[in-house]
Amino acid sequence: MYFYVNFVLNMTYSVLKNYIFIKTLLILLMCSSFLQAQDTILARIYTFDEPVSNLDGHGDKIIARTPSKLYRLGKDNEFEKIQDLDPLKVEKYTWIGKDDRRGNFTTYHTDYIIRTRIISYGGIGAFLPGYHHDKITIAVDGSVVYAMFRGNILRYEITPFYKIKNRWESVRNVYVDDSIKITSTYSAIYKDSSYDVFGLDTIKGINYSSGEATKINGKYYLCSDNLFRLENNRWNPVNFSFQSNHHFRKLVAHKKNTYFLSSECFGRIDLENNQIIDTILLSEKNEYFDIAWLDNRAFVSNKDGYIYVYEEGKPISKVFIGSPVYDINFSLNNKEAILASKAGIYKMTLSDLRATLLYPLYDALQTVFVEGELIVTTSHGLYMVHDNQVREIIPRTEFNKYGLNVFRELIYAGSIEGLFVIDKSLLLNDITNSFKAVEFSVNSSNNILTVSILIALLLIFVVILFIQNRKNKKQVISNVRKSVSINPDSIRQIVLEHSTLISVEAIAEYFETSTVQLNRILKKYNTSGLAVLKSIKQDIVKDMIAQGKSLEEISKRVGYSINYIKRNLL
């Protein structure tokens, strides 16, 4: 408040007259109470070759000063050098002087930071990293604040359409009705009396949540591996008639029955008598993620990439999605199931149970419809589908499964950074202009399939060419061999050229004939295949001995043992 009063008292009449709207916004932005009433996120850090001395300006006239350079913020949100300065002749800090409607302005320099330009640490210090630091200067462009901090420029975006509650806690689930709001985190379970009240009153008995809180038959339950019931403002474990090894995630009432979903199975439960009635689906390897009822059918998702469809008295059917489905929702006309999966958002028509990938928004965790618009939480941000375009609402934030809910005018989205409380009307006010559309590759899944088919066809074509080429080579070699007459001299030549031909059988195979036919041909020369081969090997041994080759090398070449060579060929 001190900064607010001090800033107003030092504001000149001419500046107030010309820029009353912008300056008033600037004052409000600098007030800690205003900053804390909205969400302020660090969007970017600008670094320079030299440390930044100070920032100044507003709107489209923002400058940054380093010891030897002056920069201006351009329309692309980048700082561009506009002037080189001599630090020996020009003072350390630079400020904007007069400016006109055309965007022109003059600057002046000082060797100290003007007291009225120094921002109170209490106004923005809570959002700066590290510890207390003085001489902070800022510049404001609409809902964006640029702060000079320790030689760098930090860009903060102030978003009026949401606030963050339970900051720095990982919020898993929010249950809310007209009488209670239960905020489940990994460190505590909070209770409030109204959907727009956020206190620190905790419910004892269990201090973390791994599933959903819900109301069944007038009583509140919490799925946190074990199942808990709210009694006398305390979570008490539900003691089953026999030991339960289930890791509970969700309870759903349908007609006169209550169904449970655990990591391991899906089945019916009797909460009045604390009994698990039966198990409808069981998986020992893969985890179950969600269950949703529509009419008389239950749809259950599993990590194995299937949707299981259960209808009492009928066999369970399976629909292959190909990607783990974390959340099951239904379109507004109840003709389609909207599936949030690891690969993106799928649409499954309920008449024929055919699934189609709508948006490859990877790691999609949960969906909910708000005034006809589809809200999607993911492991990397919150998105909204508007006019068949996916728009980025809250970027670079990891949201939690089971964390998305809507009640009256507020949207709740639990993340590892806290609970995002989104004002529905402000969010929907100007979707097209406020939020950028996400670009996806056109029919990326079809492209992948097409490329895979083309690669497979190419490989098949290459294999066919290879086989055909090999056949052609064999045919050429065969024709050459057939053209060579079989006689002792030709055999000698091919044995000397091919070190693998060390048996009569190998020689016959080379000429594409049998050993019997080979010996018949050689009988004309009063010899046999074995006699010719032995003579050739003797000559090879003599030649290798003359070259100083070892007996091991000679033995390997002719196929005789070293002892045989010593006794018969040396």
Side-chain angles (χ1 to χ4, degrees):
M1 183 59 67
Y2 168 79
F3 169 74
Y4 177 84
V5 175
N6 186 57
F7 189 87
V8 172
L9 291 176
N10 287 279
M11 185 180 293
T12 63
Y13 173 77
S14 59
V15 173
L16 180 62
K17 179 180 178 182
N18 293 321
Y19 304 104
I20 185 169
F21 173 76
I22 296 175
K23 290 301 182 181
T24 303
L25 177 61
L26 177 60
I27 296 169
L28 293 174
L29 287 171
M30 293 177 189
C31 292
S32 60
S33 60
F34 180 77
L35 284 171
Q36 291 170 3
Q38 304 182 69
D39 183 63
T40 303
I41 59 173
L42 176 63
R44 183 174 176 182
I45 299 177
Y46 296 89
T47 58
F48 297 79
D49 295 334
E50 302 174 312
V52 177
S53 305
N54 74 288
L55 273 170
D56 192 36
H58 58 265
D60 60 350
K61 307 179 188 70
I62 294 177
I63 62 171
R65 170 68 192 275
T66 69
S68 64
K69 295 179 179 65
L70 188 63
Y71 295 85
R72 178 174 181 172
L73 183 66
K75 293 182 179 180
D76 57 354
N77 294 324
E78 298 290 345
F79 282 91
E80 302 171 349
K81 187 185 75 172
I82 59 174
Q83 189 177 354
D84 287 311
L85 302 172
D86 186 347
L88 299 178
K89 297 179 180 180
V90 180
E91 284 79 10
K92 185 176 180 180
Y93 305 102
T94 300
W95 314 95
I96 291 181
K98 296 180 179 180
D99 57 72
D100 57 32
R101 294 179 180 177
R102 298 179 181 178
N104 301 316
F105 61 88
T106 60
T107 60
Y108 64 97
H109 314 284
T110 62
D111 59 1
Y112 59 91
I113 297 181
I114 302 171
R115 189 169 64 88
T116 57
R117 304 293 179 97
I118 299 176
I119 303 305
S120 167
Y121 185 81
I124 196 171
F127 304 100
L128 296 175
Y131 298 98
H132 178 82
H133 186 70
D134 57 1
K135 297 181 179 179
I136 303 170
T137 57
I138 72 170
V140 178
D141 181 11
S143 61
V144 179
V145 177
Y146 297 87
M148 190 289 295
F149 185 72
R150 295 181 179 174
N152 295 323
I153 296 177
L154 281 59
R155 173 189 168 103
Y156 287 91
E157 295 179 357
I158 299 176
T159 52
F161 69 91
Y162 71 80
K163 306 171 187 177
I164 298 182
K165 302 296 181 178
N166 300 91
R167 191 180 287 271
W168 315 130
E169 291 187 282
S170 184
V171 177
R172 186 62 183 266
N173 175 251
V174 174
Y175 171 84
V176 58
D177 59 29
D178 288 322
S179 59
I180 193 173
K181 175 164 61 66
I182 301 172
T183 304
S184 304
T185 76
Y186 281 117
S187 56
I189 312 299
Y190 296 92
K191 180 189 72 171
D192 301 303
S193 59
S194 175
Y195 79 101
D196 58 353
V197 173
F198 301 89
L200 297 177
D201 184 19
T202 61
I203 308 175
K204 307 303 180 182
I206 183 73
N207 59 2
Y208 78 96
S209 168
S210 57
E212 293 188 358
T214 190
K215 185 177 183 181
I216 303 289
N217 296 329
K219 297 179 181 179
Y220 295 98
Y221 295 86
L222 179 69
C223 295
S224 185
D225 288 333
N226 292 326
L227 186 61
F228 294 83
R229 183 186 289 118
L230 184 60
E231 297 171 323
N232 299 321
N233 201 33
R234 182 179 180 85
W235 292 115
N236 294 317
V238 175
N239 296 314
F240 292 95
S241 55
F242 60 91
Q243 184 177 3
S244 170
N245 296 319
H246 296 295
H247 296 81
F248 289 92
R249 294 292 179 261
K250 194 170 185 177
L251 295 177
V252 179
H254 178 69
K255 294 185 176 180
K256 296 182 179 180
N257 293 314
T258 300
Y259 296 83
F260 75 93
L261 185 75
S262 69
S263 296
E264 301 80 13
C265 67
F266 157 64
R268 286 192 302 161
I269 188 170
D270 182 352
L271 295 174
E272 296 298 324
N273 299 303
N274 299 344
Q275 291 182 341
I276 293 177
I277 300 174
D278 58 14
T279 298
I280 299 171
L281 285 171
L282 177 65
S283 176
E284 297 179 354
K285 296 181 179 179
N286 295 304
E287 179 182 0
Y288 288 102
F289 289 128
D290 197 23
I291 171 181
W293 279 89
L294 182 63
D295 297 330
N296 293 319
R297 291 192 294 179
F299 298 82
V300 183
S301 67
N302 189 280
K303 189 178 180 180
D304 61 6
Y306 282 92
I307 294 292
Y308 295 82
V309 184
Y310 164 75
E311 189 171 358
E312 190 173 359
K314 295 183 180 181
I316 294 175
S317 56
K318 295 168 56 176
V319 182
F320 181 69
I321 305 300
S323 174
V325 174
Y326 302 123
D327 175 76
I328 304 171
N329 196 0
F330 298 106
S331 61
L332 298 176
N333 59 12
N334 286 337
K335 292 183 178 180
E336 299 163 341
I338 306 300
L339 312 176
S341 78
K342 190 174 184 65
I345 304 296
Y346 282 84
K347 174 186 70 175
M348 183 175 72
T349 54
L350 299 180
S351 58
D352 57 8
L353 300 180
R354 298 185 61 148
T356 306
L357 180 63
L358 292 178
Y359 311 104
L361 196 61
Y362 73 93
D363 267 356
L365 300 176
Q366 202 171 356
T367 67
V368 68
F369 281 99
V370 176
E371 304 295 335
E373 310 288 357
L374 185 67
I375 304 292
V376 183
T377 52
T378 73
S379 65
H380 49 88
L382 184 144
Y383 299 82
M384 180 165 58
V385 180
H386 174 71
D387 286 342
N388 207 34
Q389 277 191 319
V390 177
R391 296 190 176 273
E392 186 180 59
I393 308 300
I394 302 174
R396 301 180 297 277
T397 302
E398 181 179 344
F399 288 89
N400 287 324
K401 286 185 293 186
Y402 312 116
L404 188 60
N405 199 359
V406 180
F407 187 74
R408 295 184 182 171
E409 296 303 316
L410 296 181
I411 304 168
Y412 303 94
S415 77
I416 65 171
E417 299 177 9
L419 177 63
F420 285 76
V421 182
I422 304 170
D423 187 300
K424 216 168 31 171
S425 59
L426 290 178
L427 174 64
L428 300 174
N429 187 45
D430 193 10
I431 301 170
T432 305
N433 295 328
S434 300
F435 307 105
K436 67 178 182 179
V438 179
E439 297 293 335
F440 297 115
S441 300
V442 179
N443 296 325
S444 59
S445 58
N446 293 335
N447 288 341
I448 294 173
L449 179 61
T450 303
V451 170
S452 301
I453 293 174
L454 289 176
I455 292 175
L457 291 174
L458 181 61
L459 290 174
I460 293 172
F461 180 69
V462 170
V463 170
I464 292 173
L465 285 179
F466 176 77
I467 294 173
Q468 187 64 40
N469 187 50
R470 193 171 180 180
K471 285 183 178 180
N472 292 337
K473 285 184 177 180
K474 285 185 176 181
Q475 186 63 43
V476 171
I477 293 172
S478 177
N479 293 336
V480 170
R481 291 173 181 175
K482 289 179 179 179
S483 65
V484 177
S485 60
I486 299 176
N487 56 59
D489 291 335
S490 63
I491 293 174
R492 175 178 291 274
Q493 183 178 350
I494 64 107
V495 170
L496 293 176
E497 291 176 353
H498 299 82
S499 60
T500 58
L501 301 180
I502 56 175
S503 67
V504 177
E505 290 78 8
I507 294 172
E509 184 178 351
Y510 178 85
F511 285 107
E512 297 183 2
T513 187
S514 64
T515 54
V516 175
Q517 184 63 24
L518 179 68
N519 285 322
R520 283 178 182 172
I521 296 173
L522 292 177
K523 191 175 181 180
K524 299 177 182 178
Y525 300 94
N526 297 319
T527 187
S528 67
L530 185 61
V532 172
L533 186 59
K534 186 175 181 179
S535 174
I536 297 170
K537 287 184 177 182
Q538 287 177 335
D539 293 342
I540 291 174
V541 170
K542 292 178 182 178
D543 184 56
M544 293 183 73
I545 289 293
Q547 295 177 24
K549 303 292 183 181
S550 67
L551 290 177
E552 288 79 4
E553 292 178 284
I554 296 172
S555 174
K556 186 177 180 180
R557 173 65 179 88
V558 297
Y560 293 152
S561 67
I562 294 176
N563 291 331
Y564 181 85
I565 294 173
K566 287 180 179 179
R567 289 195 307 267
N568 300 291
L569 301 179
L570 295 181

